[in-house]
Amino acid sequence: MSLPVVTFNAPNQRTAIAELVAWCKELDGTVVEKVTMPEPQGLSYPGICNWAFKQVCKRMAGRDFFWIEADSIPLKKGWLAAIEAEWLEAKKYGKEIMWAADYNSPFDLVGGIGVYSGNADHLIADGITDDGFDGWTLRHRNHLIHRSNLIQHSYAHYLPNGDIRRKNEFPPDLPLLRKDAVIFHKDQSQGLIGCVRKGLLHG
């Protein structure tokens, strides 16, 4: 049985989420479950994003799942099956989370898309507001994380001082993609969808 693929359908991302859901279906029939609920008042970034992720963890309690975001684009047919096979192996060694192999040090250490066990709600704290849930998890649960080459993460292009020079753009940044990656995060413009449709990616 395939891993459920789940996202939070935030009000300010409805169009992008709809595009991602349609793309997953078009690519290979993968169905994405959208969790929709009213957002609490008074929370800003990153607290509101952490809250949304935790709602999904609570919804999926007891079930492993793949957390996907609007800017994480599957690249190949069968992407989820490949990830699930590696996940089942990682679980044998006590891993509870499967993330990208990329650190992009020193300015971009983690991206939170990936597989989470059915224990995620217990593993990741409620009410994190000073960092993303992924940064918190990296600091507190690193021993439970399996790093996979199937998932690729690159937030942006950086200046030497750590400021963002520019965010990823596709197709210009296609050389960034690893041949073994089956999903890429972060592509805010969702340009990779068109690239895959046109067959612009390497085999």
Side-chain angles (χ1 to χ4, degrees):
M1 182 177 176
S2 295
L3 282 167
V5 181
V6 192
T7 192
F8 188 84
N9 195 27
N12 65 343
Q13 290 192 313
R14 294 285 164 83
T15 300
I17 289 292
E19 290 286 342
L20 176 70
V21 169
W23 169 240
C24 290
K25 184 73 172 175
E26 175 187 334
L27 180 63
D28 63 3
T30 298
V31 175
V32 177
E33 177 182 344
K34 297 185 294 184
V35 174
T36 303
M37 60 180 63
E39 294 182 326
Q41 299 297 311
L43 277 180
S44 57
Y45 178 85
I48 191 65
C49 299
N50 298 335
W51 173 87
F53 174 73
K54 284 290 288 185
Q55 304 319 299
V56 170
C57 291
K58 295 176 190 302
R59 173 78 63 91
M60 302 303 293
R63 292 187 291 162
D64 300 352
F65 65 97
F66 190 97
W67 165 253
I68 198 168
E69 297 174 354
D71 55 7
S72 45
I73 310 300
L75 305 174
K76 301 173 183 178
K77 292 180 179 180
W79 66 277
L80 185 60
I83 285 172
E84 183 172 19
E86 186 169 326
W87 169 244
L88 292 175
E89 285 298 311
K91 286 183 70 175
K92 295 177 182 178
Y93 298 94
K95 300 303 181 181
E96 302 262 10
I97 298 165
M98 183 167 131
W99 279 351
D102 313 284
Y103 286 89
N104 304 311
S105 184
F107 308 119
D108 182 15
L109 300 181
V110 64
I113 72 148
V115 187
Y116 293 83
S117 79
N119 298 322
D121 187 36
H122 299 291
L123 293 173
I124 300 171
D126 277 305
I128 302 167
T129 57
D130 62 337
D131 195 1
F133 73 86
D134 47 358
W136 184 96
T137 302
L138 182 65
R139 293 195 306 275
H140 298 278
R141 302 288 186 259
N142 192 42
H143 62 293
L144 298 176
I145 300 170
H146 169 68
R147 293 284 191 160
S148 173
N149 286 327
L150 295 174
I151 305 170
Q152 185 172 357
H153 169 79
S154 172
Y155 186 85
H157 300 259
Y158 291 90
L159 296 170
N161 67 353
D163 290 341
I164 292 176
R165 179 165 59 87
R166 66 173 178 84
K167 294 182 179 178
N168 297 319
E169 300 174 20
F170 297 97
D173 285 325
L174 284 175
L176 283 176
L177 299 182
R178 292 196 313 267
K179 290 185 178 181
D180 52 359
V182 299
I183 187 169
F184 180 88
H185 176 263
K186 174 175 181 112
D187 173 20
Q188 281 188 300
S189 68
Q190 298 181 322
L192 276 169
I193 293 175
C195 293
V196 178
R197 282 186 178 132
K198 294 173 184 176
L200 300 182
L201 275 66
H202 40 62

